[in-house]
C-alpha cells in the first residue's frame, strides 16, 4: 500500500474501538490510517463475545449479512455455588454471542470501504509531539516508518503503548483487574439460546463464570476473578462439570481485563484514548465491545470538529470525554454500583440476597429491555423487607460509586 503524504488521524489498533473510529471518521471526510500489529484483523483475543440487542441496533446492518452473529440468545441462567437462582426467558432476542474474529473484520472492512488506509503486521514504537502534530514511529514488515498527523488515536488495548508514550497511562490496580481463562468448548447439554452465569466462592470468588453458546453445543466458556490467577483452571473445570457431564476443549486463552475507570484524562494535545485502552470495559462483567465501539463514534465526532476548527489542543479535545459520558455514563454507573454492592456483601448476606432473588423472580418470562428498576419492583412485591435488609449496603455502594467520579 502506498501511504498518503498526510493523514488527519492515525489509529493504533484495529479492534472495535479503532475500526469504529476509522469508519465514522472516514465517512465524515477525514483521511485516516488504521494500524494493526497482528498479521490479520480479528486475531485471537480474550473476549466472551456477548453483546446486547441494543448494541446490535446501534451497529445496524450496513449492507452485510449478520454472519458475525454466532447465536441470538433468549434467556439466561444464574447459579450460586452450583444452585440455580434465576432462570429468565424473553420473547425476543436479549442479545447475541458474536464470532469476534468475523465481527472485527467486518468493522475493519467498513472502515476500508469508507476510505481508510490500513497497515497490518505493523508495530507502534513511540510518538512525539512536534509543532502542533504528532510524529508516529512504526515498524512495518521490518521497515521503520515515521508519519505525522494532527491527531493520534490510541485504541491499542489495556496495556496501551500510545497512552504510555504520551504520559496518559493509568497503572493497573490489581484488585480491580479480572484474571481470566477462556476456552472454546463442546458441551451438548447446554441450551443453545441461553447464557449461563455462575457466581459464589466455589465457582469464582468475587468474580464470575460464563457459558455463552455459539450453536450446535459449542460455546465460549470462561472464568474471571479479581486480583489473582490462582485456581483459575480448577474453577473453570468445576464450572464446566456443573453443566456438562462430559466436555471437550478446542482452544484456550488467558488474559487480564482491567475494569477500573481510567483515572488520568483519556485525551491530551493531539491524542484521544479509546476502548480498553481507556479502561471502558463494564466494571461488573468486564465486557468491552459496546463501549469500545461507542468510544470510536464519540472520538470521530470530536476529530471532525477539531479539523473544522483547526484546533487539536487538549482543551478542544476535552469534548471527547463529555460526549463519551453522555453515551455510557448512566449504564457504567449502574454496573459499577452493582459491583461495589456485590463485593461489599458478607458471605451470609450474599446467600440471603441470592435466595431473595430466587424466591421473588427465580423463573420469569419478561419482555425486553431489562430495566433494573422494574426488576427491583418485582422483588419488592414478593419481599417487602428487601430494601430494609440490603438498603444500607446499597447506600454504601452508591456513595463509593459517586466517589469514583468526584
Amino acid at each position: 500500500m502506498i501511504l498518503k503524504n498526510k493523514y488527519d488521524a492515525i489509529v493504533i489498533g484495529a479492534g472495535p474501538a479503532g475500526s469504529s473510529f476509522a469508519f465514522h471518521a472516514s465517512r465524515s471526510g477525514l483521511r485516516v490510517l488504521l494500524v494493526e500489529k497482528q498479521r490479520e484483523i480479528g486475531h485471537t483475543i480474550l473476549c466472551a463475545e456477548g453483546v446486547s440487542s441494543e448494541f446490535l441496533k446501534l451497529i445496524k446492518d450496513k449492507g452485510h449479512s449478520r454472519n458475525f452473529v454466532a447465536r441470538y440468545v433468549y434467556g439466561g441462567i444464574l447459579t450460586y455455588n452450583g444452585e440455580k437462582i434465576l432462570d429468565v426467558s424473553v420473547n425476543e432476542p436479549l442479545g447475541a454471542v458474536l464470532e469476534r474474529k468475523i465481527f472485527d473484520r467486518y468493522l475493519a472492512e467498513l472502515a476500508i470501504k469508507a476510505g481508510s488506509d490500513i497497515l497490518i503486521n505493523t508495530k507502534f514504537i513511540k510518538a512525539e509531539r512536534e509543532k502542533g502534530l504528532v510524529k508516529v514511529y512504526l515498524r512495518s514488515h521490518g521497515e521503520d516508518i515515521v508519519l505525522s498527523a494532527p491527531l493520534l488515536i490510541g485504541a491499542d488495548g489495556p496495556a496501551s503503548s500510545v497512552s504510555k508514550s504520551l504520559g496518559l497511562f493509568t497503572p493497573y490496580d490489581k484488585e480491580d483487574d479480572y484474571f481470566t481463562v477462556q476456552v472454546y468448548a463442546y458441551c451438548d447439554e447446554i441450551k443453545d439460546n441461553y447464557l449461563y452465569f455462575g457466581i459464589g466462592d466455589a465457582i469464582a470468588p468475587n468474580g464470575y463464570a460464563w457459558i455463552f453458546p455459539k450453536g450446535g453445543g459449542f460455546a465460549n466458556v470462561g472464568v474471571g476473578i479479581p486480583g489473582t490467577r490462582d485456581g483459575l483452571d480448577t474453577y473453570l473445570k468445576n464450572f464446566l462439570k456443573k453443566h456438562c457431564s462430559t466436555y471437550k476443549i478446542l482452544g484456550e486463552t488467558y488474559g487480564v481485563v482491567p475494569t477500573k475507570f481510567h483515572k488520568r484524562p483519556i485525551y491530551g494535545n493531539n491524542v484521544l484514548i479509546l476502548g480498553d485502552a481507556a479502561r471502558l470495559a463494564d466494571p461488573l462483567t468486564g465486557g468491552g465491545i459496546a463501549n469500545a465501539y461507542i468510544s470510536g463514534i464519540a472520538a470521530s465526532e470530536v476529530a471532525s470538529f477539531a479539523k473544522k476548527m483547526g484546533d487539536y489542543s487538549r482543551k478542544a479535545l476535552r469534548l471527547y470525554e463529555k460526549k463519551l459520558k453522555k453515551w455510557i455514563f448512566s449504564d457504567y454507573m449502574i454496573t459499577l454500583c452493582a459491583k461495589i454492592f456485590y463485593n461489599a456483601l458478607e458471605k451470609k448476606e450474599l446467600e440471603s440476597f441470592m435466595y431473595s432473588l430466587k424466591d421473588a423472580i427465580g423463573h420469569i418470562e419478561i419482555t425486553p429491555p431489562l430495566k433494573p428498576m422494574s426488576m427491583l419492583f418485582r422483588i419488592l412485591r414478593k419481599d417487602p423487607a428487601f430494601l430494609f435488609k440490603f438498603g444500607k449496603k446499597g447506600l454504601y455502594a452508591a456513595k463509593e460509586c459517586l466517589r469514583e467520579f468526584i
Side-chain angles (χ1 to χ4, degrees), residues 115-126:
S116 295
D117 287 341
I118 188 168
L119 283 175
I120 61 166
N121 196 20
T122 301
K123 184 179 180 181
F124 170 83
I125 305 300
K126 65 176 181 178

Side-chain angles (χ1 to χ4, degrees), residues 22-24 26-27 30 109-116:
F23 167 62
H24 291 98
S26 293
R27 195 171 61 167
L30 272 64
E109 287 171 356
L110 291 180
I112 301 311
K113 286 187 175 182
S116 295

Side-chain angles (χ1 to χ4, degrees), residues 230-245:
D230 295 344
L232 273 177
D233 290 324
T234 300
Y235 291 128
L236 176 68
K237 289 176 184 177
N238 290 342
F239 183 63
L240 273 168
K241 287 176 183 177
K242 292 287 184 183
H243 297 281
C244 311
S245 56

Side-chain angles (χ1 to χ4, degrees), residues 357-383:
L357 291 183
K358 183 177 182 179
D359 291 342
I361 53 173
H363 180 80
I364 56 172
E365 296 181 5
I366 55 179
T367 302
L370 291 172
K371 295 182 179 179
M373 291 307 296
S374 65
M375 298 295 284
L376 178 60
F377 290 142
R378 286 176 181 267
I379 296 169
L380 289 175
R381 282 198 295 269
K382 289 279 188 178
D383 185 2

Side-chain angles (χ1 to χ4, degrees), residues 210-221:
W210 72 85
I211 300 176
F212 286 5
K214 304 191 80 170
F218 294 94
N220 181 316
V221 185

Side-chain angles (χ1 to χ4, degrees), residues 43 67 81 108 147 154 168 192 198 235 241 274 299 316 346 378:
H43 188 271
N67 59 352
N81 286 331
L147 298 170
L168 296 176
D192 265 352
Y235 291 128
K241 287 176 183 177
L274 278 58
E346 302 293 337
R378 286 176 181 267

Side-chain angles (χ1 to χ4, degrees), residues 212-355:
F212 286 5
K214 304 191 80 170
F218 294 94
N220 181 316
V221 185
V223 173
I225 57 176
T228 180
R229 292 182 173 85
D230 295 344
L232 273 177
D233 290 324
T234 300
Y235 291 128
L236 176 68
K237 289 176 184 177
N238 290 342
F239 183 63
L240 273 168
K241 287 176 183 177
K242 292 287 184 183
H243 297 281
C244 311
S245 56
T246 60
Y247 60 87
K248 301 173 185 178
I249 294 176
L250 290 78
E252 188 174 63
T253 306
Y254 293 83
V256 181
V257 180
T259 60
K260 190 78 168 182
F261 192 74
H262 206 293
K263 287 295 186 181
R264 295 190 182 180
I266 52 178
Y267 58 91
N269 293 324
N270 307 97
V271 62
L272 297 174
I273 309 299
L274 278 58
D276 284 351
R279 313 283 174 83
L280 297 180
D282 183 283
L284 184 64
T285 68
I289 295 175
N291 285 352
Y293 185 84
I294 288 168
S295 71
I297 298 175
S300 71
E301 293 173 353
V302 173
S304 296
F305 178 75
K307 182 180 179 181
K308 181 179 179 181
M309 302 302 294
D311 186 358
Y312 294 87
S313 68
R314 183 180 186 278
K315 184 177 180 181
L317 297 183
R318 185 179 182 182
L319 179 62
Y320 165 61
E321 189 171 75
K322 292 181 179 179
K323 282 182 172 287
L324 196 56
K325 285 183 176 179
K326 202 169 184 179
W327 275 86
I328 70 173
F329 185 74
S330 60
D331 287 343
Y332 192 97
M333 287 287 284
I334 289 171
T335 54
L336 179 59
C337 287
K339 178 183 178 180
I340 294 171
F341 173 77
Y342 175 73
N343 289 340
L345 293 175
E346 302 293 337
K347 185 176 180 179
K348 289 184 178 180
E349 290 176 319
L350 180 58
E351 288 180 356
S352 176
F353 182 79
M354 288 295 115
Y355 292 128

